[in-house]
């Protein structure tokens, strides 16, 4: 959680900063996949986003592309805020008795289930939605994280159930 908080706080401040965060991840995946990557800079990210906007000739559609780019980068900031809040809430939850963790376990379970479904979808197992930009690195990341998020989801739902049972037992 602390690592996620540090990573996501970087792109809360600068959404294009996400391209610079995964040095450790990329180098690890590159070793496994036998590939090499040069990290993008903030200027590269800005140039890429401007290229997407400039590629549209129709002025009305160009405004929509600008809005789409804004939303994509804004959602990175929203996601980083969520991850930061989840990390803080998880640490707080560890200070609570098991029976009082029920609501927190629901949040974690729903989150982990959604991420697991997205990962398995990108890996090609669950046919829900569509992501048109899966490259070998994205496929490998989904392959790596899908089982982890599935396990986190299962543990979360079991904990949610048993913390509810513990809370009901305490009341009776």
């Amino acid at each position: 959680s602390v690592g996620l908080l540090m990573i996501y706080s970087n792109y809360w401040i600068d959404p294009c900063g996400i391209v610079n965060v995964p040095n450790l991840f990329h180098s690890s995946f590159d070793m496994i996949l036998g590939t090499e990557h040069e990290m993008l800079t903030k200027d590269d990210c800005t140039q890429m986003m401007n290229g997407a906007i400039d590629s549209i000739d129709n002025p009305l559609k160009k405004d929509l592309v600008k809005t789409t780019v804004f939303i994509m980068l804004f959602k990175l900031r929203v996601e980083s805020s969520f991850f930061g809040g989840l990390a803080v809430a998880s640490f707080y939850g560890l200070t609570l008795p098991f029976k009082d963790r029920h609501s927190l376990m629901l949040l974690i379970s729903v989150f982990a289930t959604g991420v697991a479904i997205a990962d398995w979808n990108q890996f090609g197992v669950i046919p829900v939605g569509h992501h048109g930009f899966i490259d070998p690195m994205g496929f490998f990341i989904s392959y790596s994280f899908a089982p982890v998020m599935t396990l986190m989801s299962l543990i979360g739902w079991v904990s949610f159930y048993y913390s509810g049972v513990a809370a009901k037992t305490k009341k009776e």
Side-chain angles (χ1 to χ4, degrees), residues 98-99 102 156-169:
F98 183 66
K99 66 177 181 55
H102 192 65
W157 286 114
V158 168
S159 298
F160 171 72
Y161 174 77
Y162 282 108
S163 64
V165 169
K168 287 178 185 172
T169 304

Side-chain angles (χ1 to χ4, degrees), residues 78-125:
V78 170
E79 179 184 329
S80 69
S81 298
F82 173 77
F83 274 111
L86 187 62
V88 170
S90 296
F91 285 123
Y92 172 70
L94 292 174
T95 68
L96 300 173
F98 183 66
K99 66 177 181 55
D100 295 335
R101 297 180 191 176
H102 192 65
S103 298
L104 181 59
M105 295 315 305
L106 177 62
L107 173 65
I108 291 170
S109 302
V110 170
F111 164 73
T113 302
V115 173
I117 289 170
D119 280 334
W120 284 114
N121 172 252
Q122 290 173 180
F123 185 55
V125 175

Side-chain angles (χ1 to χ4, degrees), residues 1 3 10 21-22 41 67 86-87 105 109 126 131 141 149 169 171:
S1 290
N10 179 51
V21 170
T41 65
T67 302
L86 187 62
M105 295 315 305
S109 302
I126 296 178
H131 190 310
I141 290 170
M149 294 311 294
T169 304
K171 289 179 185 175

